[in-house]
């Protein structure tokens, strides 16, 4: 009976070893299956946001806290790397964008130990805004209107965002007409006006000569073409028939050249 007991013990030992080995293999297989499950798009997004904040703001990963995403969001897996930036002045809102498929969303982030800056405080610490004086419409200006000093005024405005070619002196609107409607308090630009017609073809105009030499001679001549302020036009002396050239200086007034 002793040999039979020994054989039974050996058989039990073999069964126990095989059972343990099967248990180890089963556990390893189960762990591999769990590890092989890919992360959800939401989890991948949150992980990318934390890594981006850590890299761009030089903070520890454990200091970054993300606000919970809306459970109703259906986040599609992104086939390309996510693009992130700060679309607002505050660093607490991060915009996440995917190129393929195209989508974007905003994620609220809190970094432990960072003091939030209030809007009023940020404005107080910002650099002073540069200002300048420009001409603005004092009244509603309509297309074709001949401008005078009563139609405009000087105003002090912020330089950032100011359109180009803004007029700054009253002399720039002298003998000008409006090309498009302009609302009150709107800065006037050079493209909003043009010199008005001061001399019309066939009219008799007064031509002055010799002002630069210290004397002046005036004569009545006939305009051979329309002329705006500052334009050079052809003129004719009816008495002699001689053709002349003059510079338009005012209503029916030219300066001989």
């Amino acid at each position: 009976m002793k040999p039979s007991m020994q054989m039974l013990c050996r058989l039990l030992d073999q069964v126990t070893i095989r059972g343990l080995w099967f248990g180890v293999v089963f556990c390893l297989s189960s762990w591999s299956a769990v590890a092989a499950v890919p992360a959800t798009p939401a989890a991948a997004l949150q992980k990318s946001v934390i890594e981006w904040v850590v890299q761009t703001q030089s903070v520890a990963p454990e200091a970054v806290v993300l606000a919970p995403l809306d459970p109703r969001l259906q986040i599609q897996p992104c086939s390309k790397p996510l693009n992130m930036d700060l679309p607002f002045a505050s660093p607490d809102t991060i915009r996440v964008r995917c190129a393929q498929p195209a989508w974007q969303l905003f994620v609220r982030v809190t970094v432990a130990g960072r003091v939030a800056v209030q809007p009023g405080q940020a404005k107080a610490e910002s650099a002073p805004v540069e200002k300048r004086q420009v001409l603005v419409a004092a009244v509603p200006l309509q297309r074709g209107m001949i401008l005078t000093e009563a139609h405009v005024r000087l105003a002090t405005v912020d330089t950032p965002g100011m359109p180009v070619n803004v007029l700054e002196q009253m002399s720039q609107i002298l003998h000008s007409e409006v090309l498009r409607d302009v609302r009150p308090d709107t800065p006037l630009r050079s493209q909003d006006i043009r010199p008005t017609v001061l001399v019309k073809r066939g009219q008799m105009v007064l031509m002055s000569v010799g002002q630069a030499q210290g004397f002046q001679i005036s004569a009545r001549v006939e305009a051979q073409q329309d002329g705006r302020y500052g334009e050079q036009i052809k003129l004719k002396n009816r008495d002699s028939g001689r053709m002349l050239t003059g510079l338009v200086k005012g209503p029916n007034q030219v300066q001989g050249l």
Side-chain angles (χ1 to χ4, degrees), residues 1-202:
M1 183 163 181
K2 187 174 182 180
S4 298
M5 290 297 295
Q6 291 178 351
M7 291 179 64
L8 179 61
C9 291
R10 290 177 182 176
L11 180 59
L12 291 175
D13 290 341
Q14 291 178 1
V15 171
T16 302
I17 293 173
R18 289 178 180 177
L20 291 175
W21 174 251
F22 176 78
V24 171
V25 172
F26 177 78
C27 291
L28 291 176
S29 300
S30 300
W31 174 255
S32 300
V34 173
V37 175
T40 63
L45 181 146
Q46 292 175 318
K47 180 176 181 295
S48 298
V49 170
I50 293 176
E51 292 175 349
W52 187 82
V53 173
V54 169
Q55 181 179 3
T56 58
Q57 301 186 23
S58 300
V59 296
E62 56 271 16
V64 182
V65 180
L66 304 185
L69 297 176
D70 189 338
R72 296 171 297 178
L73 289 176
Q74 298 294 328
I75 302 176
Q76 296 178 308
C78 190
S79 62
K80 295 185 178 181
L82 295 173
N83 293 320
M84 282 165 269
D85 63 354
L86 299 173
F88 309 116
S90 170
D92 298 332
T93 301
I94 297 176
R95 177 171 55 187
V96 184
R97 290 181 286 182
C98 175
Q100 186 64 38
W103 55 262
Q104 75 170 12
L105 57 84
F106 297 88
V107 179
R108 295 284 297 174
V109 177
T110 301
V111 177
R114 183 172 64 195
V115 179
V117 179
Q118 300 299 324
Q121 180 181 356
K123 183 176 181 181
E125 295 177 355
S126 60
V129 178
E130 184 180 353
K131 297 179 178 294
R132 59 189 281 199
Q133 277 198 330
V134 300
L135 286 180
V136 300
V139 296
L141 304 180
Q142 298 179 349
R143 181 178 180 181
M145 180 185 293
I146 306 300
L147 287 177
T148 67
E149 293 185 359
H151 296 138
V152 298
R153 64 181 178 85
L154 283 171
T156 302
V157 297
D158 296 341
T159 299
M162 178 65 56
V164 297
N165 302 328
V166 178
L167 305 181
E168 298 179 328
Q169 300 177 1
M170 289 290 184
S171 59
Q172 293 176 289
I173 67 160
L174 184 65
H175 304 305
S176 296
E177 64 179 284
V178 182
L179 289 177
R180 57 182 61 86
D181 294 346
V182 180
R183 293 180 298 178
D185 300 323
T186 301
L188 281 177
R189 305 166 300 170
S190 59
Q191 57 264 41
D192 293 331
I193 64 173
R194 70 174 177 181
T196 187
V197 176
L198 299 176
V199 174
K200 293 187 176 181
R201 181 180 179 180

